[in-house]
Amino acid sequence: MKCTKMLDLPLNTERLVLRELASDDVTEKYASWLNNPEINQYLESRFLEYQLGDIVGYIEKLDKDPSSLLFGIFIKENMDHIGNIKLNLGNLYHKRADIGIMIGDRDQWGNGYATEAITAVTQYGFEVLGLKKITAGCYESNIGSKNAFEKVGFQVEGFLRSQVETRNNREGVWKFGVLPNEI
């Protein structure tokens, strides 16, 4: 199975547009998300400080990687960039991928945008890319992400105890999976 970058895109939902993230989308606002301890607390990227050039380089690198699809999450009404969602197609022989998401705009937390974006990208993975399984993970204390994945139909497949270092302690990681007939 070969991935053709950004086939049938952008993805439109009721309230969102998900489109390929471009270097033009890199702003001070975007950089502030990655450098804000409240927003980045569940991201593996939280250990570094980011400048605009770092983020542009990351996006350009992913754009050349056929196994990674990085979508910007934009509110349809005003095209405000509120976060990103990535589909990592690292194991196409097994027709499996992994989703990671960040709603960076703190004012948009709790509005259901993560669930809406996860649903759209999951459907895209199954219906367009022909995937047979999509996986995800989140930190034990990231209840918002856990709830969003479960609302879409992802099932808990495991829990890795004391898996990651956080600001104050160690915590576990939830592992999820979903099959095409479960969303």
Side-chain angles (χ1 to χ4, degrees):
M1 179 173 147
K2 184 178 186 316
C3 173
T4 303
K5 288 285 257 193
M6 302 302 163
L7 185 66
D8 293 338
L9 293 178
L11 302 177
N12 288 287
T13 70
E14 182 181 336
R15 301 177 298 161
L16 301 173
V17 173
L18 307 176
R19 66 165 173 77
E20 183 175 13
L21 200 60
S23 55
D24 291 351
D25 297 313
V26 177
T27 62
E28 290 292 342
K29 175 180 151 184
Y30 180 0
S32 74
W33 301 341
L34 297 176
N35 293 318
N36 181 323
E38 182 185 15
I39 294 169
N40 73 18
Q41 66 183 312
Y42 301 118
L43 303 177
E44 291 301 307
S45 60
R46 72 183 178 277
F47 302 108
L48 302 171
E49 177 104 5
Y50 292 91
Q51 305 298 322
L52 295 179
D54 301 324
I55 303 166
V56 168
Y58 175 74
I59 290 170
E60 289 173 351
K61 177 182 168 191
L62 286 184
D63 187 49
K64 295 175 185 160
D65 181 356
S67 67
S68 291
L69 303 176
L70 180 62
F71 302 87
I73 303 170
F74 298 85
I75 295 178
K76 190 181 281 186
E77 180 180 82
N78 57 14
M79 289 308 288
D80 191 24
H81 181 208
I82 63 165
N84 301 328
I85 186 166
K86 181 180 170 191
L87 190 60
N88 182 5
L89 306 161
N91 200 327
L92 291 177
Y93 293 108
H94 295 294
K95 298 183 180 180
R96 185 176 68 229
D98 192 65
I99 287 181
I101 187 166
M102 170 192 68
I103 302 296
D105 186 335
R106 175 72 179 90
D107 294 337
Q108 302 304 331
W109 289 4
N111 291 327
Y113 292 128
T115 301
E116 200 169 317
I118 293 166
T119 299
V121 171
T122 300
Q123 289 173 337
Y124 177 80
F126 290 142
E127 296 169 9
V128 177
L129 300 178
L131 297 173
K132 302 300 181 193
K133 183 174 185 178
I134 299 176
T135 59
C138 74
Y139 287 17
E140 177 179 4
S141 63
N142 191 349
I143 303 304
S145 283
K146 184 176 187 290
N147 290 342
F149 282 110
E150 289 178 330
K151 283 179 190 172
V152 174
F154 282 75
Q155 297 178 30
V156 173
E157 294 187 339
F159 181 74
L160 305 174
R161 299 174 300 136
S162 192
Q163 185 73 5
V164 294
E165 193 71 35
T166 63
R167 282 184 254 169
N168 302 321
N169 60 349
R170 292 189 64 79
E171 68 177 73
V173 173
W174 293 104
K175 293 300 207 173
F176 307 96
V178 67
L179 304 176
N181 62 340
E182 296 173 337
I183 59 168

